[in-house]
């Protein structure tokens, strides 16, 4: 067994980022920086738009505000450091900062899973019980559901972060990634990683699969309810309120399940890196555009905001 002193054998990790020629790394830096700026501007605009339009002060848009706020922090937790890694100016990360980044990103990712399932449940109530919707989904319930999503996300991952911080690292200390994730830590650890792998699998199962089942069941009821609407206009109107959410759900759950719902740490760390790029850089950027382009009320509010100017 490894002596306990070895736990402090590795004080910091070196993040590889995307190894390659300087000009290709610079192209990536520009792309990451551009997408990061657009993500922050896009999501902040949605929050400002909902905040300033009283007709958007409904549970659906309250949850969307939470999602946009989360996306800003999710991409902030990954992209600035990734840019530093690619430029070669900030390739090292201390052990405690690595665990902190892991906790921050995975907690926000888990919160997003819960929030998306809450949003699906909200659409289910709105479409299947239109007359009772305002009394069922009141401000108290919507606040509780949003708060539970945030608390649940952070509590579930704090267990994983604690277990990962107890792992022993004796070297090498090079992480083949632009951020700290569980798979990379497991690959470098020289102690028994089975408890962390099992905990990761169980937490993923609870967070990702359970929230995905809630979303899926909600949409089965939503679609069957929409199909029972006789008028084509009514069907189109009902589906338009949830099509944006459905697009976001499919993108998010697809990539998240690939990354985390598996019994063992995947050997293909390069593929993980690619999917992580999609999750931390591309998805937060897509969300505001999907919601703006596919949502009539948001488009109208946006039009009014530009007319005022």
């Amino acid at each position: 067994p490894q002596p306990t002193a070895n736990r402090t054998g590795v004080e910091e990790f070196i993040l590889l980022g995307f190894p390659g020629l300087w000009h290709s790394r610079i192209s990536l830096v520009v792309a990451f920086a551009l997408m990061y700026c657009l993500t922050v501007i896009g999501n902040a605009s949605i929050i400002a738009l909902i905040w300033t339009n009283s007709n958007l002060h409904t549970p659906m848009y309250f949850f969307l505000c939470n999602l946009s706020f989360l996306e800003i922090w999710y991409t902030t937790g990954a992209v600035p450091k990734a840019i530093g890694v690619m430029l070669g100016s900030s390739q090292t990360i201390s052990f405690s900062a690595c665990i902190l980044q892991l906790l921050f990103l995975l907690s926000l990712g888990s919160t997003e899973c819960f929030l998306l399932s809450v949003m699906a449940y909200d659409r289910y109530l709105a479409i299947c019980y239109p007359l009772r919707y305002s009394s069922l989904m009141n401000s108290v319930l919507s606040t509780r559901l949003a708060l539970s999503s945030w608390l649940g996300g952070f509590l579930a991952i704090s267990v994983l972060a604690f277990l990962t911080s107890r792992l022993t690292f004796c070297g090498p200390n090079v992480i083949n990634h632009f951020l700290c994730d569980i798979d990379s830590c497991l690959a470098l650890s020289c102690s028994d990683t089975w408890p962390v792998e099992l905990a990761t699998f169980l937490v993923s199962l609870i967070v990702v699969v359970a929230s995905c089942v809630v979303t899926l069941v909600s949409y089965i009821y939503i679609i069957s309810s929409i199909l029972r609407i006789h008028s084509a206009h009514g069907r189109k109107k009902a589906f338009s309120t949830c099509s944006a959410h459905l697009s976001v759900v499919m993108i998010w759950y697809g990539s998240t399940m690939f990354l985390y719902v598996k019994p063992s740490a995947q050997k293909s760390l390069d593929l993980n890196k690619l999917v992580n790029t999609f999750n931390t850089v591309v998805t937060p950027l897509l969300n505001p555009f999907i919601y703006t382009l596919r949502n009539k009320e948001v488009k109208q509010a946006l039009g009014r905001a530009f007319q005022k100017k």
Side-chain angles (χ1 to χ4, degrees):
Q2 291 295 335
T4 49
N6 266 354
R7 181 154 297 154
T8 55
V10 171
E11 294 287 341
E12 59 180 24
F13 295 109
I14 296 161
L15 294 163
L16 272 188
F18 294 91
L21 296 169
W22 175 247
H23 62 82
S24 64
R25 289 212 309 272
I26 287 297
S27 307
L28 270 175
V29 165
V30 172
F32 269 52
L34 189 65
M35 285 195 275
Y36 175 68
C37 290
L38 286 172
T39 300
V40 173
I41 293 164
N43 284 292
S45 301
I46 281 193
I47 295 168
L49 203 62
I50 292 167
W51 198 272
T52 53
N53 280 269
S54 54
N55 62 318
L56 297 181
H57 291 178
T58 63
M60 176 184 166
Y61 293 108
F62 168 67
F63 295 134
L64 180 54
C65 257
N66 274 271
L67 187 68
S68 288
F69 179 74
L70 183 147
E71 296 289 22
I72 291 169
W73 288 108
Y74 188 61
T75 195
T76 300
V79 177
K81 179 66 183 173
I83 289 171
V85 168
M86 286 185 281
L87 288 173
S89 60
S90 173
Q91 278 191 290
T92 58
I93 186 166
S94 71
F95 180 72
S96 51
C98 185
I99 297 296
L100 205 63
Q101 187 185 43
L102 185 144
L103 170 71
F104 189 69
L105 291 178
L106 289 183
S107 297
L108 289 175
S110 301
T111 303
E112 177 145 354
C113 285
F114 290 137
L115 265 177
L116 289 175
S117 64
V118 161
M119 289 167 89
Y121 176 65
D122 170 67
R123 291 298 83 215
Y124 155 72
L125 290 181
I127 288 165
C128 298
Y129 303 98
L131 301 175
R132 290 169 58 205
Y133 173 70
S134 54
S135 60
L136 289 169
M137 185 58 78
N138 52 37
S139 58
V140 176
L141 180 63
S142 55
T143 306
R144 278 180 185 165
L145 287 169
L147 203 60
S148 302
S149 298
W150 285 93
L151 281 173
F154 276 82
L155 285 173
I157 301 302
S158 57
V159 178
L160 286 188
F162 174 74
L163 289 172
T164 309
S165 71
R166 305 302 299 154
L167 289 174
T168 309
F169 298 91
C170 339
N173 66 337
V174 178
I175 293 178
N176 180 19
H177 213 313
F178 58 86
L179 51 83
C180 280
D181 74 335
I182 285 202
D183 283 359
S184 304
C185 289
L186 293 175
L188 291 181
S189 175
C190 55
S191 57
D192 183 19
T193 60
W194 185 80
V196 186
E197 290 194 41
L198 180 67
T200 305
F201 180 62
L202 292 174
V203 168
S204 306
L205 216 57
I206 295 160
V207 173
V208 185
V209 179
S211 62
C212 192
V213 166
V214 171
T215 307
L216 198 64
V217 170
S218 296
Y219 271 103
I220 289 167
Y221 279 108
I222 287 167
I223 290 162
S224 63
S225 185
I226 288 172
L227 293 175
R228 285 200 298 269
I229 298 170
H230 297 297
S231 72
H233 174 72
R235 278 200 300 271
K236 191 183 176 187
K237 190 184 175 186
F239 191 70
S240 72
T241 66
C242 56
S243 61
H245 180 253
L246 193 56
S247 311
V248 172
V249 161
M250 286 162 80
I251 293 166
W252 176 257
Y253 281 118
S255 53
T256 305
M257 280 190 170
F258 170 83
L259 279 173
Y260 300 111
V261 185
K262 51 185 189 252
S264 172
Q266 219 162 19
K267 295 289 176 275
S268 175
L269 291 175
D270 279 321
L271 199 56
N272 276 13
K273 201 165 23 175
L274 199 67
V275 181
N276 260 129
T277 305
F278 192 77
N279 257 14
T280 54
V281 186
V282 183
T283 311
L285 171 66
L286 290 178
N287 287 3
F289 290 103
I290 290 171
Y291 277 104
T292 312
L293 298 172
R294 301 197 70 149
N295 192 298
K296 196 179 172 184
E297 287 170 310
V298 176
K299 271 197 272 190
Q300 285 172 346
L302 202 61
R304 284 196 298 271
F306 279 114
Q307 278 168 4
K308 279 178 191 173
K309 287 176 183 180

